[in-house]
Amino acid sequence: MFILVNLKAYPCDPIDVATAARDVAEASGARIAVSPQAADLARVADTGVETWAQHVSPNAHGSHTGSTLAEAAADNGAEGTLINHSEKRLKLADIDGSVGAAERADLETIVCANNPAQVGAAAALGPDAVAVEPPELIGGDVSVATADPGIVEDAVAAAEAVDPAVDVFCGAGVSTGEDVATAGDLGAAGVLLASGVAKADDPEAVLEDLVSGI
Ligand SMILES: O=C(CO)COP(=O)(O)O
């Protein structure tokens, strides 16, 4: 199970979380990545933790003010990128373009989706993985795998039907090792989470609990 911690725009110290994630990954052997604000990519990558962008634009180099270029993310230490997060929704053509931009820059890709139908559509674009995150459960206390196990199973089936090479992740409300284990039992290859770590008083303790569920 891959654990990806999305820091969103939370007011946590990205280096504290990155250092804790690096230490827990090293001690446990688990794969843990941290996805900070674009401006913090290089500092987070410098800790040695696996670092992901929260978004990359479909654009290549050129006159595109305000773009987060895949090439710039990669040059600043990102190894992968989320695309189409629920809080950064894109048009279909732009999701396709961002997947292509990430591939050109050698970034691994996870395309996020609201439901199994969108998971199937996202899988057709050829990312490395897709993630199902019901928006109504994001930021809550109950894990998607407990609140709506069927949506995870249906997302796994939807991706499998389109492209069995595309991994399926789930996210929303994940905060414990038990949540990680339940997600794995439903067929997820990993989890995306944010508030459970970014808002924690002791992110390292939460990460240690999370990897106990792998
Ligand atoms: O959006 C998410 C991860 O990308 C999930 O957020 P929470 O873990 O805060 O529910």
Side-chain angles (χ1 to χ4, degrees):
M1 292 285 277
F2 178 24
I3 296 177
L4 191 146
V5 180
N6 175 7
L7 300 184
K8 304 192 174 184
Y10 283 127
C12 59
D13 181 335
I15 304 307
D16 279 355
V17 176
T19 305
R22 177 202 63 198
D23 291 349
V24 173
E26 279 176 9
S28 63
R31 185 179 178 195
I32 306 177
V34 173
S35 186
Q37 289 280 300
D40 293 325
L41 282 169
R43 288 198 304 145
V44 165
D46 280 349
T47 67
V49 77
E50 181 173 336
T51 303
W52 279 53
Q54 295 180 8
H55 160 81
V56 295
S57 98
N59 295 325
H61 288 289
S63 52
H64 305 295
T65 305
S67 292
T68 300
L69 284 191
E71 288 81 356
D75 286 348
N76 283 280
E79 296 178 52
T81 186
L82 300 176
I83 293 169
N84 194 48
H85 189 275
S86 186
E87 294 145 12
K88 189 69 178 170
R89 283 285 182 238
L90 303 175
K91 294 178 188 162
L92 184 62
D94 290 338
I95 300 171
D96 196 16
S98 291
V99 169
E103 283 172 355
R104 281 198 307 274
D106 276 334
L107 295 174
E108 208 172 319
T109 49
I110 300 176
V111 175
C112 301
N114 281 3
N115 55 44
Q118 290 181 20
V119 161
L125 300 175
D128 294 300
V130 293
V132 64
E133 293 198 298
E136 67 278 11
L137 297 176
I138 290 178
D141 295 333
V142 184
S143 157
V144 56
T146 302
D148 196 352
I151 203 172
V152 181
E153 291 171 323
D154 289 351
V156 170
E160 171 83 20
V162 173
D163 184 350
V166 175
D167 282 336
V168 177
F169 293 64
C170 65
V174 174
S175 65
T176 68
E178 198 179 331
D179 296 339
V180 173
T182 307
D185 289 345
L186 294 171
V191 293
L192 307 189
L193 74 148
S195 51
V197 169
K199 289 182 166 180
D201 292 334
D202 185 349
E204 187 156 349
V206 176
L207 286 159
E208 280 167 353
D209 183 31
L210 285 164
V211 298
S212 74
I214 291 179

